[in-house]
Amino acid sequence: MVQMPRPIILDCDPGHDDALAILLAAASPEIDLLAITTVGGNQTVEKCTLNARRICTVAGITGVPIAAGAAGPLLGSLHIGGYVHGESGLDGPAFADPTVPQVDESAVDLMRRVITEHPEPVTIVAIGPLTNVALLLRVEPRIADRIQEIVIMGGSTDRGNDTPYAEFNIRVDPEAADIVFRSGLKVTMCGLNVTHQALATPEVLARFRALGTKLGDLCVELLTFFGSSYFKTWGFESPPLHDPVAVARVIDPSIVVCLPQPVAVETAGRYTRGATVVDLHHLSGDPDNAMVATELDAERFWDLMIGAVASYG
Ligand code: BDR
Ligand code: CA
């Protein structure tokens, strides 16, 4: 039986790994990319939106609406990930002015319209702070019936990267994450414990280079800058390509093994605000509210990612 492509909205904050997630989602026949929405995170929402347009322009991704969303979290002001992604949010390569436009609609309005109008329930793949998604659920609660699943890159079953216990996307907007995890919707969490298995090693970079294409070279430049940040801040020899793991889970669930778990978001901790508390041994007796990624088939993940970039020619 021919599988119909899954309709998704990609909510992102490009961001080096977000850029590769856009390339993967737009190239995959298993996915029908309905919209790209942006949120303040790795950089300001203006810069992240410009970066989404830049990537779509270089790759020739036209016809996917791009809308700008929340400039900052539900509470407080935006903590930017410039220490990883640089001043532009996509430091490394030089980009020409983008020709792919931004639509004249907010991210939440675009999400609401696209989901309401689509005949099938839509999956949201959220690879930045969860502000837009939480706002959507709050302004239009009835939309829940039209959402098939929310697949996120965020959190961890272990420790954090932005603070000792909090992963960046959750740390930027813990209240939004709390709303999403307590929404009752099917939530799948691809956290650092799996994305740290997606390492862009020198062999991976050589495979991108060997494509001999403009986009293959662009990926090498992006991953080289991203790698230098990861070395400086965390001492990683090779950087982990977080966001495309969430997209891979949608394309082929067998690449990212998940288990049902109770997950709570720490919103009050003095040192741990933004941590995802995953009850791996079901000690709390709380019901499972998320599918939590526990293992990545890294070989198949890279075949998928590199194959997607190759398909642009
Ligand atoms: C997440 O934070 C950002 O730096 C990346 O784009 C990714 O979404 C990893 O913690
Ligand atoms: Ca991201």
Side-chain angles (χ1 to χ4, degrees):
M1 206 179 78
V2 185
Q3 195 70 39
M4 292 299 283
R6 251 174 97 168
I8 77 157
I9 293 174
L10 189 64
D11 188 58
C12 57
D13 60 339
H16 295 71
D17 51 336
D18 301 78
L20 273 83
I22 292 173
L23 295 178
L24 178 58
S28 301
E30 294 84 357
I31 281 179
D32 180 9
L33 182 57
L34 303 177
I36 296 172
T37 51
T38 59
V39 62
N42 286 327
Q43 259 301 345
T44 63
V45 72
E46 290 79 14
K47 290 183 183 178
C48 292
T49 310
L50 178 68
N51 291 339
R53 296 174 53 218
R54 283 172 162 162
I55 288 298
C56 288
T57 300
V58 189
I61 302 165
T62 54
V64 179
I66 300 174
L74 299 182
L75 294 183
S77 52
L78 179 63
H79 161 67
I80 281 173
Y83 67 103
V84 182
H85 300 270
E87 199 44 50
S88 70
L90 214 47
D91 276 12
F95 290 95
D97 286 343
T99 52
V100 171
Q102 169 186 345
V103 299
D104 192 19
E105 212 175 356
S106 74
V108 170
D109 285 348
L110 179 66
M111 282 173 151
R112 177 168 44 185
R113 190 171 58 74
V114 162
I115 294 171
T116 310
E117 287 174 2
H118 202 275
E120 304 297 327
V122 172
T123 293
I124 300 174
V125 182
I127 56 176
L130 289 162
T131 321
N132 290 337
V133 184
L135 285 169
L136 174 71
L137 297 177
R138 278 294 156 96
V139 299
E140 188 68 72
R142 286 172 309 175
I143 205 94
D145 293 345
R146 308 290 312 146
I147 297 175
Q148 186 180 13
E149 184 180 357
I150 301 173
V151 182
I152 71 163
M153 187 285 129
S156 179
T157 60
D158 306 326
R159 298 199 42 172
N161 57 358
D162 195 57
T163 72
Y165 279 91
E167 181 279 329
F168 178 80
N169 288 338
I170 308 295
R171 188 260 158 121
V172 170
D173 198 340
E175 280 69 28
D178 186 46
I179 289 172
V180 170
F181 276 97
R182 295 206 284 131
S183 64
L185 286 164
K186 181 175 177 195
V187 175
T188 297
M189 167 180 138
C190 301
L192 298 177
N193 55 297
V194 284
T195 63
H196 282 183
Q197 297 168 37
L199 296 172
T201 60
E203 292 72 35
V204 165
L205 293 192
R207 287 178 69 186
F208 277 115
R209 205 174 285 116
L211 296 178
T213 64
K214 188 175 68 176
L215 277 187
D217 291 346
L218 178 74
C219 290
V220 173
E221 285 184 76
L222 288 170
L223 291 170
T224 302
F225 180 89
F226 196 48
S228 67
S229 299
Y230 260 82
F231 184 72
K232 253 186 275 161
T233 307
W234 295 283
F236 275 53
E237 290 293 337
S238 305
L241 194 65
H242 309 282
D243 292 338
V245 171
V247 179
R249 166 71 187 178
V250 175
I251 295 170
D252 181 350
S254 72
I255 292 181
V256 189
V257 177
C258 293
L259 293 174
Q261 303 281 344
V263 180
V265 177
E266 179 57 89
T267 54
R270 179 169 167 201
Y271 301 111
T272 54
R273 181 167 150 80
T276 42
V277 181
V278 182
D279 187 3
L280 291 170
H281 303 288
H282 292 91
L283 303 173
S284 61
D286 291 343
D288 298 326
N289 59 338
M291 291 296 288
V292 174
T294 55
E295 215 180 304
L296 177 76
D297 186 333
E299 203 176 306
R300 287 170 61 223
F301 168 76
W302 284 115
D303 286 350
L304 192 69
M305 185 67 242
I306 294 162
V309 173
S311 73
Y312 288 92

